[in-house]
Amino acid sequence: MFWELVAVFVFLFTYALIVDERIHRAVAAMIGAAIVIFLHIVPWDSLLVYLDFGTIFLLMGMMIIVNTARTSGLFEYIAIRTAKMAKGSPIRVLILFSLVTALASAFLDNVTTVLLLTPMLLTIARLMKLNPLPYLIAEIFASNVGGAATLIGDPPNIMIASAAGLTFNEFLMVMAPIALIDLGIIILMMFLIYGKSMKVEPHERDVMKKAMEGLDENAAIQDRSLFKKSIVTILLVVVMFFFHSLLGLEPAEVALIGAAIILFWSREPPEMILEKIEWPALFFFGGLFIVVGALVETGVISQIAGAMVGLVSTTGEAMILVVWFSAIASALVDNIPLTAAMIPLIKDLGTSMEIYPLWWALAVGACLGGNGTAIGASANVVVLGISEREGIRISFLDFMKLGMAVMAITVAVGLGILWIMFIL
């Protein structure tokens, strides 16, 4: 009992440090991991059991591919082409940027996507003399919904797939329809709320169209050879993700193969690319896995799972509980530690019920719950931070009013689709 209490205390202490944000979350996770290792709650021999290398190497491989491709100007090129396709219509800009953000987030991580697209979105809004607020909010919602669509789109999905052995195609079959419908709902909501302010007179649209035509997407390409190699490598990696089961490869192996190909082919200095890997994020994951491992080692997770089983009697009831608990919790705290804590819990529930639907319930709750508040997902914090530096302030409460409504509707839709797929 003593060690169980210690493991819970260390977990809550680590969580508090992460939420508090006065020290970097990677350091917080490493402190928690150091404590449980020092106290031998997690034996040294068990470290490899709890460190999820499937998650860590997948993230590392994708970071290398994106960091190499971004130096070519590929993402700026896509943003300018998107703006031109809008033909001076503010509403089309909203729809097209939401689609591009969601699509990019499905294959890149959300933070990378918004880091690449937000500055360009602000530039386009400035050139078209538009209020950037609805576009920035739509970008946040679209990135979180798009990230939910694929195995590699959002860290919670990567962690869930690695723990449950789910394939890239399974994620596409289950999560992509949910993300697509939810994206349509979000665009409709944004149109209903901000549509009037986006209406412009024909002569104003002509001025906006000329401003967009003045942009040169080809000038954004900084290295044409690398630009082509990046496109080929990214397409190859996406195709390999589709067929990774047939090839006998894990998603992490596909990402590392893609990273090796683009590094070799591009001849970019590896020191420069590897320096840009978000090492703090990887150490954050590693530390967190060990802290949660302490809860597993001491039996805390099994006891919580036992209590949950007492609350529900069917997989359908458990699915509802997991979806809403993870969604509300993800709106309030980071969805990565939440997912790390929920994974062993769901595994333990497998002793008394069918848990396959519960993995999808966790993915829906953890990914879509991030839209609830300004701190619900890393992408939210990044976009709002960039906006504030540009003098566009979106308060926590203003974001939450809209975010909670979007979260409630999109999660309810996701739960409904899961119910039709697995319960009816």
Side-chain angles (χ1 to χ4, degrees), residues 176-307:
I178 294 173
L180 197 60
I181 292 170
D182 278 344
L183 182 64
I185 291 170
I186 287 169
I187 292 173
L188 181 63
M189 286 179 74
M190 298 303 291
F191 177 73
L192 291 174
I193 296 167
Y194 295 106
K196 280 186 182 175
S197 65
M198 293 180 188
K199 284 185 179 172
V200 291
E201 298 297 325
H203 70 278
E204 291 176 307
R205 179 179 294 191
D206 289 340
V207 172
M208 291 177 178
K209 189 178 175 184
K210 283 181 184 172
M212 290 301 98
E213 286 172 350
L215 296 174
D216 183 3
E217 63 270 30
N218 291 314
I221 302 173
Q222 296 170 22
D223 183 332
R224 193 161 290 279
S225 171
L226 179 58
F227 179 84
K228 292 174 183 171
K229 290 171 184 172
S230 299
I231 292 174
V232 173
T233 307
I234 290 172
L235 288 176
L236 177 66
V237 168
V238 170
V239 170
M240 287 172 72
F241 273 131
F242 276 111
F243 297 104
H244 74 88
S245 298
L246 292 174
L247 295 169
L249 296 170
E250 292 297 320
E253 293 175 293
V254 171
L256 289 177
I257 290 169
I261 290 171
I262 199 166
L263 279 176
F264 174 75
W265 197 15
S266 68
R267 302 293 182 187
E268 288 290 303
E271 298 87 351
M272 187 186 78
I273 302 298
L274 297 178
E275 271 180 5
K276 292 178 185 171
I277 289 179
E278 292 173 42
W279 293 107
L282 300 183
F283 277 92
F284 169 63
F285 276 102
L288 204 58
F289 289 142
I290 296 170
V291 173
V292 173
L295 296 177
V296 178
E297 255 325 293
T298 52
V300 173
I301 293 291
S302 333
Q303 290 179 39
I304 296 174

Side-chain angles (χ1 to χ4, degrees), residues 56-79:
I56 292 172
F57 285 136
L58 178 53
L59 285 169
M60 187 187 293
M62 293 307 293
M63 285 175 188
I64 291 172
I65 295 169
V66 171
N67 284 331
T68 309
R70 73 192 300 177
T71 58
S72 71
L74 172 64
F75 302 108
E76 289 82 356
Y77 176 89
I78 294 170

Side-chain angles (χ1 to χ4, degrees), residues 35 37 117 119 121-122 140 152 160 192 231 239 279 367 422:
I35 293 172
I37 290 171
L117 292 181
L121 186 58
L122 287 171
I140 290 173
I152 56 172
I160 292 165
L192 291 174
I231 292 174
V239 170
W279 293 107
C367 294
F422 300 114

